[in-house]
Amino acid sequence: MPNLTGLAAIDSEYLDYLMTKVSEFGATPDGGVDRPALTDAHAAARDWFKGELSERGYTVKVDAIGNLYGQIELTGPDAPLIMLGSHIDSQPLGGRFDGAYGVMCALASIESYRAQCKAEGISPQCNFVVADWMNEEGARFQPSLLGSSVFSGENTLEFALARKDREGRTVAEELERVGYAGTDIAPEPTAYLEIHVEGGPVLEREGLSVAPQVRHWGALKVKIEVTGHQAHTGPTPMEERKDAVLGAAYVIAEVKRLADIATDTLYTSVARLDVSPNSPNIVPEKAILFCELRSPEQDMLDWSEAALKAALPELMAKAGVVGEVVSIDRRPAGRFDSRLIRLVELAADAHGHKRTELDTVGGHDAVTINRRIPAIVFVVPSVNGVIHRYDEFTKPEDLAKGGDVLTDMVRRIDAAGGDLDKAAAVNA
């Protein structure tokens, strides 16, 4: 139960219950979850969570892009509204903690603070809302951060609803199918707090408990289409083949070469390749590559984009095929709100949880939300630095420590009446 001596702490038993329950939806035999956005497993998890919110007195809302909100009024309707959250969708064959921890911890933190207020006779000055963003992962529908980017205004609703999965099903169609084509107006919060598992080795290696992420790296998500000629892999002479996958392979090697040139300042990958007709007996006619280029500096992103585009004609000529960049989703580099960074540090210090500061290379909903309102994402350790894999794991005691920090941030912001300058200036 919460600590009632001034500091706010998480109800770790309730957090453990929520984490155990949400992990049942899309559970895989190896201990992970398979819950991509708008699948039946994803919808079932959200249906359960809606029930959990309603039972505790939250007003449940779903907006037009399928973001799910649970709002609780602890004071008057004109009070500042503070949002906490993350996402419940997962990677295919992903882990139990990525995203889901942030949503479950959001609810547990607000509930823990409510219990403290009741026990100590505190009159809250803020209202709160839990957010479960639709399609953060971008595994089924691209780009990632889709629901939160509509909320932030980075993408239009029309653009988001028209995104298609590999089978050609649109977001709009799947929202309707699973019952999450909402009509509610999104809340208007004044700040956004997100907790996450690190998905990296630093905290565990250094024996630390928590880290605010200070900078978010920028990213280019480049879709390249390579077109050759379909032919039989047996009788077709080698010199006559126009193999789209060979052209794709040259692009993959070039993307890796760019990272080798820009050591530690550019991360690259090609983690998805769609091949047609995708038969072992046919020289492929088409290959679609999904390339990612990530850097903390915009100049490096600009350089890598220009270098990849400049290399493309020669790479295609080498394979005897044609290729073109068909789309680029851009995520600028930036920094999170300094006051919220400070609040993470104050809460961690007050609880005696050792901390550091980190960058986030991966994307989080807080990245796009930070363009609309002050936002922060902070992290707790991942065992062996694993993320996006079935064996992703964070120890219960580390989940609880992060929950302590989030709950005490809620207390501090509420005590300041939602004024982040005031909250960050008080070490109490």
Side-chain angles (χ1 to χ4, degrees), residues 21-36:
K21 185 65 180 179
V22 75
S23 298
E24 295 175 3
F25 300 97
T28 58
D30 50 18
V33 293
D34 191 354
R35 205 164 55 216

Side-chain angles (χ1 to χ4, degrees), residues 36 94 262 283 306 426:
V283 175
V426 176

Side-chain angles (χ1 to χ4, degrees), residues 294-379:
R294 299 176 185 260
S295 175
E297 304 297 339
Q298 189 59 46
D299 287 348
M300 178 56 68
L301 291 175
D302 294 342
W303 171 83
S304 63
E305 178 183 348
L308 179 58
K309 288 179 175 178
L312 195 60
E314 183 177 343
L315 298 173
M316 296 300 96
K318 186 177 177 182
V321 296
V322 296
E324 62 175 336
V325 174
V326 294
S327 68
I328 302 179
D329 295 316
R330 305 174 191 277
R331 183 186 304 155
R335 299 181 69 88
F336 289 112
D337 189 89
S338 60
R339 298 163 299 178
L340 293 175
I341 293 169
R342 179 60 179 152
L343 279 170
V344 174
E345 295 171 342
L346 287 173
D349 291 348
H351 278 279
H353 299 332
K354 296 180 180 179
R355 60 175 171 84
T356 188
E357 293 182 348
L358 295 172
D359 288 352
T360 177
V361 181
H364 297 291
D365 292 303
V367 172
T368 184
I369 293 168
N370 195 45
R371 297 189 178 91
R372 174 174 172 178
I373 58 174
I376 187 64
V377 59
F378 66 101
V379 295

